[in-house]
Amino acid sequence: MMNVSKRGNARLLASGLLLLAVFSSIGSFGHAAVSLPVQHDSLALTVNPDRSVGVAWNTTSSLGTLTQNVSSYFTPGYAIHSSSSFSQQSSAVVQTSTIQYQLPPPAVSIFNSISLTATQTGLTGSGSLMITTNVPTSTITATFSTSPTRVKVNATVQLHFSPAFFGGTFLANQTVFQTEWNRTFGNVTWTDRIASQIQNATVHFVTVTAFNGTLTSIDSNQATVSIGFVAVPSQTGTDFVTVLENILTPFGGVGLDPIIRSALNLQTGETVNLTYNGSTYTLTLQSTTTYVSDLDDQVNKLKTQYLQPLLAVFPAGTAPASLVFISATSIIINQMSTTSDLDLSAGTSSTSLKGLVLKPQTFGSNTNFTIPGLFQTIGKSPTPGVNFTLIGGSDSSNQVKIVVPADTRQPNSTTSNSATWTNLQDASTLSAVEFQVQPLPNSFLAFLVSPVGIGIEAIVAIAVIAAVVLYMAKRRATKSSIPSMSGPTPSLGLGLNPAPPAP
């Protein structure tokens, strides 16, 4: 379970690094890879005065032909809900995630409870799992630990036989269970073959050093067994990161080792809890992951580290525009959140993303600019297209005005600070849209440049000048009225000559 969680975090970081979580899902190379007929897609980009771009994406899909293939296996009431959010804290960025499986009421309630607790940091972690069943009562407990050079799992299972409930299976009675055990875990040839299959799947970069089972006790009612598993890297002095790079090398994974290690170092800790409520038939997986406090800076460094070798492959000026744009764009994920809902019985799904902020390359000035690379990277979307909205953001002093050139497709609807295109199939056609930063009507800056503000400024300037003149005149008058410390006191008359001294 922890390995699944770790891979999920790696995928999330990779999606953030490459922005594919947003653009490839709605662009030309997103839906093309999966033939799911999308019913509604909407993308809103908020362009702020500091030239950053906030991203909000929503999609509601029908699984189409896939529904016919899988919905018959899921009775009404089977739904999966997931949510994930990042928050910036003083000493870390924290991601909280929840996945909830709502199961339909079963004909017979098999599971009483499922509980998993685990912690992980980098490649080092540990955890425990406990499962109890109702009919018949059985218990499964397992512990696991991971390190950079070893994965170890130990499990103990107590199983109760039931001809009525498990008829036709290896849990029907003692005889069939003993026969099945002797064929599998009680057979060294079988366990060696399973270990060999695992090693083949990893191109022999992983060695299974232990895979065995022990039948601790058995009688006509129950059996207790224990199972152990240990795997290590095949090459001495290597760890599982090296193993992963070696496995990916034939697929162009050369040079990923430092990137993978740097990505793992971004995570400072993770806790996972899984519970099952036997009365509501709800399975809930919750995780809390902490990252370094400067996660955004580190992710952008990793993005550059990953993309620079890719860009170097292309001759000057020939790299795909989307790759160039992504390389030149910084991302901020520390306030990002996502939600998704999947109803396998109805064959519908919905996903939303918000809080992702891009700092793309812009052209023009700080107050009048375009972002062509953004629209070109989003690219084309399949029919019926995307409901695409541009929003002019604001701060305490300024707001962004959206200006659509006359030779560009005009929006289907507008508000004072937004423009919306319905069923837009090619976002690159909006590359010439301009964004003008203007003072807010009620801001102090707007007031200063208004006619009334200029008039008041002139009056204030005159008053200041008058005050300065009066102050200087007063100082001169004060200095001229001070009596001299030697010689006769000057006359206060208007003549040019001093009055004669008194006899």
Side-chain angles (χ1 to χ4, degrees):
M1 185 64 68
M2 285 304 301
N3 289 336
V4 172
S5 176
K6 180 61 63 182
R7 288 195 296 271
N9 287 332
R11 284 195 296 271
L12 180 58
L13 280 175
S15 297
L17 286 172
L18 302 180
L19 307 182
L20 297 182
V22 181
F23 298 126
S24 67
S25 299
I26 59 176
S28 57
F29 55 92
H31 291 302
V34 182
S35 57
L36 303 180
V38 177
Q39 301 302 310
H40 301 287
D41 267 346
S42 63
L43 177 65
L45 303 178
T46 300
V47 182
N48 300 305
D50 64 356
R51 295 180 291 167
S52 65
V53 179
V55 179
W57 175 52
N58 293 279
T59 180
T60 302
S61 307
S62 169
L63 302 184
T65 55
L66 183 60
T67 304
Q68 302 172 6
N69 298 329
V70 302
S71 62
S72 59
Y73 297 102
F74 299 96
T75 58
Y78 193 103
I80 303 174
H81 171 78
S82 65
S83 63
S84 180
S85 63
F86 289 82
S87 64
Q88 178 73 61
Q89 300 184 7
S90 59
S91 59
V93 174
V94 179
Q95 178 193 8
T96 56
S97 301
T98 300
I99 302 176
Q100 188 175 76
Y101 297 82
Q102 182 59 60
L103 308 176
V108 178
S109 180
I110 299 176
F111 293 103
N112 181 38
S113 67
I114 301 174
S115 176
L116 166 71
T117 59
T119 60
Q120 185 87 11
T121 300
L123 296 175
T124 302
S126 61
S128 62
L129 171 69
M130 175 175 287
I131 301 174
T132 60
T133 63
N134 289 322
V135 185
T137 302
S138 298
T139 303
I140 302 171
T141 60
T143 61
F144 64 88
S145 61
T146 64
S147 72
T149 58
R150 190 178 74 161
V151 173
K152 181 179 181 180
V153 180
N154 287 314
T156 300
V157 183
Q158 184 182 41
L159 301 169
H160 285 77
F161 307 133
S162 173
F165 191 79
F166 291 123
T169 74
F170 70 96
L171 292 177
N173 53 60
Q174 178 181 354
T175 301
V176 294
F177 179 85
Q178 184 75 65
T179 300
E180 185 65 18
W181 179 266
N182 292 339
R183 189 186 68 82
T184 56
F185 284 98
N187 187 328
V188 175
T189 302
W190 184 86
T191 55
D192 287 347
R193 184 171 67 252
I194 298 299
S196 178
Q197 290 174 352
I198 295 173
Q199 293 171 163
N200 291 339
T202 61
V203 201
H204 292 276
F205 289 114
V206 170
T207 298
V208 177
T209 59
F211 181 53
N212 50 63
T214 301
L215 182 57
T216 306
S217 66
I218 187 169
D219 56 36
S220 59
N221 295 316
Q222 61 85 37
T224 301
V225 303
S226 60
I227 298 172
F229 174 87
V230 178
V232 300
S234 301
Q235 299 177 355
T236 304
T238 63
D239 58 18
F240 287 116
V241 174
T242 304
V243 168
L244 178 60
E245 183 183 35
N246 289 336
I247 293 174
L248 295 177
T249 295
F251 308 98
V254 179
L256 291 181
D257 186 281
I259 297 176
I260 296 173
R261 294 183 191 279
S262 297
L264 289 174
N265 289 335
L266 298 182
Q267 179 180 317
T268 58
E270 180 181 32
T271 59
V272 176
N273 290 280
L274 182 146
T275 58
Y276 174 74
N277 189 319
S279 59
T280 61
Y281 318 113
T282 303
L283 185 68
T284 303
L285 175 66
Q286 295 179 313
S287 66
T288 301
T289 308
T290 56
Y291 298 93
V292 293
S293 59
D294 59 342
L295 177 64
D296 291 327
D297 290 339
Q298 296 301 321
V299 166
N300 283 292
K301 288 180 181 178
L302 281 176
K303 173 177 67 70
T304 301
Q305 184 181 356
Y306 177 76
L307 292 180
Q308 280 183 342
L310 294 180
L311 289 171
V313 173
F314 298 93
T318 64
S322 59
L323 193 61
V324 175
F325 171 78
I326 293 173
S327 178
T329 298
S330 297
I331 62 175
I332 300 175
I333 63 177
N334 61 24
Q335 296 296 328
M336 185 175 69
S337 63
T338 61
T339 61
S340 66
D341 289 278
L342 174 64
D343 189 326
L344 289 173
S345 176
T348 59
S349 68
S350 62
T351 304
S352 68
L353 176 149
K354 62 181 180 179
L356 174 65
V357 178
L358 313 179
K359 290 191 173 181
Q361 183 181 23
T362 63
F363 295 88
S365 65
N366 290 341
T367 57
N368 191 345
F369 56 90
T370 61
I371 321 176
L374 177 63
F375 301 101
Q376 293 166 7
T377 300
I378 295 173
K380 296 182 179 180
S381 298
T383 304
V386 177
N387 291 337
F388 190 89
T389 301
L390 290 175
I391 302 171
S394 62
D395 55 23
S396 59
S397 302
N398 300 294
Q399 65 180 4
V400 173
K401 179 182 178 181
I402 299 167
V403 179
V404 182
D407 57 352
T408 297
R409 174 183 165 178
Q410 298 301 298
N412 298 88
S413 62
T414 60
T415 66
S416 59
N417 71 327
S418 70
T420 299
W421 289 261
T422 303
N423 297 331
L424 180 68
Q425 295 190 20
D426 189 357
S428 64
T429 59
L430 305 182
S431 298
V433 171
E434 296 181 1
F435 304 94
Q436 298 179 357
V437 180
Q438 302 176 341
L440 285 170
N442 60 346
S443 70
F444 182 66
L445 179 60
F447 173 75
L448 291 181
V449 300
S450 67
V452 175
I454 293 174
I456 293 178
E457 289 172 37
I459 295 173
V460 171
I462 293 173
V464 170
I465 294 173
V468 171
V469 171
L470 290 174
Y471 175 73
M472 296 302 294
K474 182 178 179 181
R475 288 195 62 186
R476 286 196 298 269
T478 302
K479 289 181 178 180
S480 62
S481 63
I482 297 175
S484 175
M485 299 301 295
S486 62
T489 301
S491 171
L492 297 179
L494 298 179
L496 295 177
N497 296 320

